[in-house]
């Protein structure tokens, strides 16, 4: 091994661990002629440029949930909450589409980055100083946090709740552990990354064929194999392979949020399935049956209860339909990263507030006929209540809502996370400033 | 700090004082995160393997000690059979290796990302959320993998023919 044999304090401890080599560790031989600081830094640079986008859009999702943000009681980890805007209407579609889509697209890069540094995992002794022990702990935060976020995210968007614990709690706190590991890793390794990237010419690598590919010069971290085999792939070939993996993932996921004909390409994702061509044939989130909506509750006996400033009004569906109707083309975007844009028609929420004497409502609590579950009710902020396109929709694409899309009436508000657009609305209580 | 003291410090600790400050700050924040989550949420005494703590460490163990060795082994077998040094000829005209590697990686990556759909693991949760079933996904995935191998085989034949002329 080319590594130095000096130990920091307490030297006897490190030397003692070094002597106790685990059986089999000497039989591990690293053969790839491509591993080296330049290659690792190339993957690192891609992740450094993109992962902050995944982090920020993820945290924005927490803000977008407003009063419904989970987990609560997060202490100092509480984000600076602000009223989630309603303009542009595709805001949540964009942020959440990026969070989920980019998160998936980066999986091949993450795997390649881990492959490129895996010899470090099997170095013996694992540490020669207290500094290295501490650094290994922060690496556990980094790698553990990243893999944990990927695994829980991938399972969640496909409804595989094998993990048993709360996704929101796990994904939120897991993100913080990852962020700490990420920041400290970047702070420690940024100079190494810059130096390594400058050690070779990127343009030159793109011109180098497999047969001309030679290993990088030996490095102090031992990423470069001591006795590499002949290359089976050029460095540019490996970069193309990883980039191709990301491109394939993009092709298989982007359609779930871009929609239109590209939806067919998302052929392995829940919202890539063909739902038909009818006006109500777009993806559903939670069926009426699953929400426990009793068949009779949505028929002629259904009433909408409005409350505010001491006044209360009850309307049936015919009375709602007799009020001024407004039509808006709005996306409904889910936290799982898919979205669908439809033409909604119904009564402006602010017109409903007017009916109970609140011309300038500051918020509202919307309740559903759904009796169980985290999203049987939702709190809307001032902007969401007052926006001219914020509707209690009765129709979609020119016909009555289907039962699964929220008949007799559902909320649709620009840029609001999909699940907060309450279906099967039973009552709205308006707040005054 | 004088340079002699700095050198002595570095010999004792193994890195600079700045390094130690960064590490301690990171540990402090993560300790705070762990305390905020609370042990009750991190550890499920009834079903131990459904604990957040187990999944956090388990994700690393699964990647480092299962996924990595597994794909490294498969690749080693492929290289021994199909690599540039395999077979009688020292340099085969067009090595088959990468034409097998790439579609195999397509199969592996798509399975890794979409196995809950492919294996229909969503069950009633999936049906409740979407009103659909996961039944189409296995066939779609198999067709995708088949297409990847066929396309790769086609490209291999083209490469062989071009090499001959």
């Amino acid at each position: 091994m080319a590594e130095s044999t000096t130990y920091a304090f307490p030297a006897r401890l490190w030397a003692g661990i070094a002597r106790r080599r685990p059986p089999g560790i000497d039989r591990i031989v690293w053969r790839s002629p491509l591993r080296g600081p330049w290659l690792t830094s190339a993957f690192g640079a891609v992740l450094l440029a993109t992962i902050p986008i995944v982090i920020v859009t993820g945290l924005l999702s927490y803000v977008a949930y407003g009063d419904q943000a989970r987990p609560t009681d997060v202490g100092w980890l509480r984000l600076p909450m602000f009223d989630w805007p309603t303009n542009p209407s595709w805001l949540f579609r964009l942020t959440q589409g990026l969070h989920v889509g980019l998160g998936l697209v980066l999986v091949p890069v993450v795997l390649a980055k881990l492959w490129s540094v895996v010899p470090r995992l099997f170095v013996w002794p694992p540490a020669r100083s207290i500094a290295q022990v501490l650094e290994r702990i922060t690496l556990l935060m980094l790698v553990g946090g990243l893999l944990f976020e990927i695994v829980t995210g991938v399972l969640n968007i496909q409804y595989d709740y094998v993990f048993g614990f709360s996704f929101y709690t796990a994904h939120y706190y897991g993100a913080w552990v990852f962020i700490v590991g990420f920041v400290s890793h970047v702070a420690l390794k940024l100079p190494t990354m810059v130096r390594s990237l400058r050690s070779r010419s990127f343009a030159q690598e793109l011109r180098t064929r497999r047969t001309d590919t030679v290993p990088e010069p030996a490095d102090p971290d031992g990423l470069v194999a001591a006795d590499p085999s002949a290359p089976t792939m050029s460095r540019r070939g490996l970069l193309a392979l990883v980039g191709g993996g990301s491109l394939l993932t993009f092709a298989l996921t982007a359609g779930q949020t871009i929609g239109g004909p590209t939806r067919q390409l998302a052929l392995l994702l829940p919202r890539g399935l063909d739902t038909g061509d009818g006006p109500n044939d777009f993806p559903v989130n939670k069926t009426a049956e699953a929400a426990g909506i009793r068949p009779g509750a949505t028929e002629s006996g259904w009433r909408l209860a409005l409350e505010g400033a001491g006044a209360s009004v009850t309307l049936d569906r015919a009375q709602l339909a007799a009020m001024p109707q407004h039509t808006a083309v709005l996306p409904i975007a889910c936290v799982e990263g898919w979205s669908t844009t439809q033409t909604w028609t119904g009564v402006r929420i602010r017109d409903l507030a007017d009916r109970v004497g609140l011309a300038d409502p500051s918020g509202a609590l919307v309740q559903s006929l759904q009796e169980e579950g985290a999203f049987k009710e939702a709190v809307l902020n001032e902007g969401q209540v007052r926006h001219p396109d914020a509707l209690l929709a009765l129709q979609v694409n020119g016909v009555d809502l289907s039962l699964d899309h929220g008949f007799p009436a559902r909320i649709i508000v620009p840029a609001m996370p999909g699940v907060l657009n309450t279906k099967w609305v039973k009552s709205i209580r308006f707040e005054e400033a | 700090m004088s340079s002699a003291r700095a050198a002595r410090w570095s010999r004792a600790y193994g890195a600079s004082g700045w390094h130690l400050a960064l590490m301690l700050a990171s540990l402090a924040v993560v300790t705070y995160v762990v305390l905020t989550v609370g042990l009750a949420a991190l550890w499920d005494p009834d079903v131990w393997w459904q604990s957040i703590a187990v999944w956090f460490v388990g994700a690393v163990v699964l990647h480092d000690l299962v996924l990595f060795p597994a794909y490294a082994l498969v690749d080693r077998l492929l290289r021994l059979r199909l690599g540039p040094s395999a077979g009688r000829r020292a340099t085969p005209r067009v090595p088959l290796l990468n034409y097998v590697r790439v579609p195999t990686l397509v199969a592996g990556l798509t399975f890794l990302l979409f196995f809950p759909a492919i294996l229909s693991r969503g069950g009633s949760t999936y049906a409740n959320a979407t009103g659909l079933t996961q039944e189409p996904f296995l066939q779609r995935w198999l067709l995708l993998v088949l297409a990847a191998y066929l396309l790769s085989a086609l490209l291999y034949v083209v490469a062989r023919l071009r090499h001959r002329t």
Side-chain angles (χ1 to χ4, degrees):
Chain A
M1 277 274 151
E3 281 212 313
S4 96
T5 48
T6 56
Y7 301 110
F9 177 80
R12 289 176 61 183
L13 174 67
W14 312 126
I17 295 173
R19 277 194 302 274
R20 290 172 179 78
R21 297 183 75 79
I25 198 157
D26 296 311
R27 295 180 54 196
I28 302 176
V29 182
W30 306 105
R31 296 186 184 84
S32 172
L34 299 186
R35 279 199 190 95
W38 183 87
L39 185 76
T40 293
S41 300
F43 293 135
V46 172
L47 294 174
L48 178 58
T50 47
I51 281 188
I53 301 173
V54 183
I55 293 175
V56 170
T57 50
L59 294 177
L60 281 176
S61 174
Y62 184 88
V63 175
Y65 267 60
D67 279 27
Q68 287 76 210
R70 299 289 178 275
T72 54
D73 303 326
V74 294
W76 290 341
L77 302 174
R78 185 155 181 83
L79 296 166
M81 298 296 273
F82 53 87
D83 268 9
W84 187 249
T86 46
N87 194 23
S89 67
W90 41 261
L91 182 65
F92 190 70
R93 186 182 180 209
L94 176 74
T95 59
Q96 198 58 23
L98 270 177
H99 179 69
V100 175
L102 191 55
L104 291 169
V105 162
L106 289 180
V107 167
V109 188
V110 168
L111 293 176
K113 172 79 162 65
L114 292 176
W115 171 83
S116 78
V117 293
V118 78
R120 296 292 304 152
L121 185 70
F122 296 93
V123 162
W124 202 263
R128 295 163 177 272
S129 64
I130 294 168
Q132 288 182 356
V133 173
L134 294 177
E135 211 171 310
R136 292 247 171 204
I137 296 172
T138 60
L139 284 176
L140 177 65
M141 299 171 195
L142 175 81
V143 180
L146 186 52
L147 293 173
F148 182 78
E149 292 300 276
I150 290 174
V151 169
T152 50
V154 161
L155 291 173
N156 182 63
I157 62 168
Q158 296 175 88
Y159 306 97
D160 186 351
Y161 293 112
V162 57
F163 43 77
F165 43 76
S166 156
F167 169 75
Y168 288 98
T169 301
H171 208 65
Y172 188 74
Y173 289 117
W176 281 110
V177 175
F178 168 67
I179 289 168
V180 173
F182 183 67
V183 169
S184 73
H185 187 64
V186 170
L188 283 183
K189 294 294 188 182
L190 191 63
T192 312
M193 187 189 89
V194 173
R195 201 175 340 110
S196 307
L197 285 177
R198 285 184 179 153
S199 72
R200 304 178 85 78
S201 150
F202 185 64
Q204 183 64 42
E205 289 303 334
L206 292 188
R207 285 192 297 269
T208 307
R209 298 146 55 97
R210 174 178 66 84
T211 43
D212 301 325
T213 301
V214 290
E216 293 181 44
D219 66 318
D221 290 327
L223 294 179
V224 180
D227 182 21
S229 355
T232 56
M233 192 179 280
S234 61
R235 235 169 242 110
R236 66 177 180 181
L238 179 58
L239 295 180
L241 183 65
V242 176
S246 287
L247 207 62
L248 173 71
T249 312
F250 177 79
L252 289 174
T253 52
Q256 70 163 345
T257 188
I258 293 171
T262 66
R263 194 177 292 282
Q264 313 263 345
L265 277 176
L267 45 100
L268 295 172
L269 277 170
R271 313 305 163 154
L273 289 178
D274 192 9
T275 44
D277 299 322
N280 267 294
D281 291 339
F282 55 93
V284 169
N285 182 49
K286 205 171 191 80
T287 61
E289 193 189 342
I293 304 301
R294 280 175 290 108
T298 57
E299 285 161 21
S300 55
W302 176 82
R303 295 290 182 276
L304 173 71
L306 302 174
E307 233 187 286
S312 59
V313 172
T314 306
L315 300 170
D316 63 20
R317 202 165 186 281
Q319 289 171 301
L320 282 169
M323 288 178 70
Q325 300 292 302
H326 180 73
T327 296
V329 179
L330 294 175
I332 189 155
C334 185
V335 74
E336 288 143 21
W338 61 272
S339 60
T340 176
T341 303
Q342 306 295 335
T343 305
W344 311 88
T345 302
V347 184
R348 284 188 168 122
I349 295 176
R350 65 185 193 193
D351 289 350
L352 294 172
D354 216 20
R355 289 294 288 264
V356 285
L358 290 180
D360 298 304
S362 62
L365 173 73
V366 181
Q367 288 187 308
S368 171
L369 291 170
Q370 182 185 340
E371 282 168 2
E372 304 288 329
F375 298 102
K376 59 184 179 159
E377 58 182 34
V379 175
L380 310 189
N381 67 37
E382 185 177 302
Q384 290 166 341
V385 178
R386 292 190 188 181
H387 194 282
D389 283 345
L391 305 177
L392 178 73
L394 307 177
Q395 294 194 313
V396 66
N397 301 319
V399 301
D400 278 353
L401 293 166
S402 69
L403 191 58
D404 280 345
H405 283 305
F407 183 86
R410 74 167 301 163
I411 297 291
I412 181 81
V413 171
M416 190 159 74
V419 77
L420 303 186
N421 293 288
T422 307
K423 301 198 279 191
W424 315 290
V425 174
K426 175 177 74 178
S427 69
I428 307 176
R429 195 177 74 217
F430 291 98
E431 313 281 332
E432 199 175 15
Chain B
M1 224 177 352
S2 74
S3 63
R5 278 183 66 190
R8 224 177 318 142
W9 160 261
S10 171
R11 262 201 308 280
Y13 169 64
S16 67
W18 181 85
H19 183 283
L20 179 62
L22 182 70
M23 293 297 106
L24 291 182
S26 304
L27 284 177
V29 179
V30 165
T31 306
Y32 179 77
V33 175
V34 168
L35 291 177
T36 310
V37 191
L39 288 182
L42 285 172
W43 177 254
D44 183 341
D46 300 326
V47 193
W48 66 271
W49 60 269
Q50 287 191 328
S51 304
I52 291 179
V54 172
W55 277 66
F56 191 93
V57 177
V60 180
V61 172
L62 270 182
H63 174 272
D64 292 350
L65 301 180
V66 178
L67 181 64
F68 167 72
Y71 76 69
L73 181 69
V74 171
D75 192 61
R76 175 125 182 89
L77 295 176
L78 284 179
R79 261 185 306 157
L80 288 176
R81 301 281 305 177
L82 311 169
S85 53
R88 271 155 246 127
R89 252 195 310 270
T91 47
R93 285 168 299 182
V94 180
L96 181 59
L97 178 62
N98 289 339
Y99 292 91
V100 178
R101 257 181 179 166
V102 173
T104 307
L105 277 170
V106 168
L109 176 67
T110 47
F111 185 79
L112 204 60
L113 288 176
F114 304 112
F115 74 90
I118 295 165
L119 302 180
S120 290
R121 298 184 43 83
S124 62
T125 318
Y126 182 89
N128 285 340
T130 65
L132 305 165
T133 77
Q134 290 174 303
E135 187 254 321
F137 292 124
L138 175 62
Q139 194 189 19
R140 286 176 176 202
W141 180 70
L142 290 174
L143 289 174
L144 178 78
V145 171
L146 184 67
Y149 277 107
L150 285 178
L151 182 65
S152 193
L154 188 70
L155 291 173
Y156 177 70
V157 170
V158 171
R160 285 284 300 254
L161 290 175
R162 280 180 56 180
H163 195 85
R164 192 170 293 171
T165 52

